[in-house]
Amino acid sequence: MDDKTAYKANYRCHEPGITPDQVADSYTDMAQNYDEILSPERYRGPEIAANEVAARISEDKRGIVRIIDVAAGTGRVGILLKDKGFSNIDALEPSKGMMALLEKTGVYTNTYSEFLGVGQNSVPKDTYDVLVIAGGMGEGHIPVKGIDDMIRITKSGGFVIIVMRKEYLDYVEEYKDKLIPYMDEMEKQGTWTKVELKTVHNYSFNKDGLVFTYKVV
Ligand SMILES: C[S@@+](CC[C@H](N)C(=O)[O-])C[C@H]1O[C@@H](n2cnc3c(N)ncnc32)[C@H](O)[C@@H]1O
């Protein structure tokens, strides 16, 4: 598959105005081809996210820490984390088709077939040492309010790591002039502190990505 065809196929999940249910259904439609469309050469989100988690957690703690892979998709972040020695990984993923594939990987302990940031979810509070998201931000994807859930389900002292396409801050209405201000507001309120924000090149389709790392207070 060439890059143009792959870009178009992926864009179906990011059409302006797409609703959360439509997003989940679009991923279900493309689930069988997802790993080919967003191949590791075209989309480096899972690799970047897993490397960031590994940079924050020393090897001796990797068998103990509890991780949740939010917007886990087909499970690529979990597979990479397992390769790095992490063994206690849960997943949250609203698309039925993607969930069916991630369950087959065998790397996840508990799975949640739910959205983040869209009403109440059933993940218990103060549960995770690391919450990681690769590619879960976008048009109709995790809304700004999802940050409240991220903070709620992460333990005090735990990390929230979000990897997303940089340009979404410019044209996804949900995020433009809202996502970073809300993150800053949460820091002002003392619920989390920023550890690092960095730009990474060639995140997806040769476009830059952002890696946000926060520590929950
Ligand atoms: C580009 S895929 C990323 C999958 C995986 N993390 C990866 O990097 O390969 C985006 C995923 O976000 C999920 N998603 C969309 N909206 C979401 C929400 N509100 N909460 C949680 N996951 C969501 C989709 O179902 C889809 O599986």
Side-chain angles (χ1 to χ4, degrees), residues 94-112:
S95 158
K96 289 189 174 59
M98 301 294 258
M99 177 56 83
L101 293 177
L102 81 81
E103 279 178 335
K104 278 196 199 149
T105 65
V107 305
Y108 297 100
T109 309
N110 302 299
T111 55
Y112 297 89

Side-chain angles (χ1 to χ4, degrees), residues 61-143:
K61 300 223 170 64
R62 293 185 189 173
I64 311 163
V65 291
R66 286 197 72 180
I67 300 184
I68 185 160
D69 178 8
V70 168
T74 56
R76 279 161 54 182
V77 175
I79 291 168
L80 293 173
L81 288 174
K82 195 179 175 207
D83 288 347
K84 293 177 188 300
F86 294 94
S87 54
N88 204 343
I89 315 168
D90 293 349
L92 180 141
E93 170 53 53
S95 158
K96 289 189 174 59
M98 301 294 258
M99 177 56 83
L101 293 177
L102 81 81
E103 279 178 335
K104 278 196 199 149
T105 65
V107 305
Y108 297 100
T109 309
N110 302 299
T111 55
Y112 297 89
S113 289
E114 296 175 34
F115 292 94
L116 198 81
V118 180
Q120 191 64 36
N121 66 68
S122 61
V123 185
K125 65 176 186 168
D126 302 333
T127 302
Y128 295 102
D129 300 285
V130 181
L131 179 151
V132 60
I133 301 176
M137 309 299 282
E139 181 78 24
H141 287 54
I142 298 172

Side-chain angles (χ1 to χ4, degrees), residues 6-60:
Y7 192 89
K8 264 177 84 178
N10 181 55
Y11 190 73
R12 283 199 49 224
C13 305
H14 292 265
E15 298 272 2
I18 193 168
T19 65
D21 284 336
Q22 288 169 338
V23 168
D25 289 345
S26 301
Y27 278 107
T28 290
D29 290 347
M30 80 183 249
Q32 296 298 335
N33 302 318
Y34 176 87
D35 289 330
E36 188 192 353
I37 293 166
L38 291 184
S39 63
E41 301 77 42
R42 280 193 272 264
Y43 168 59
R44 296 201 306 120
E47 173 199 332
I48 293 165
N51 286 345
E52 196 60 31
V53 174
R56 302 288 167 197
I57 307 291
S58 58
E59 284 188 29
D60 57 315

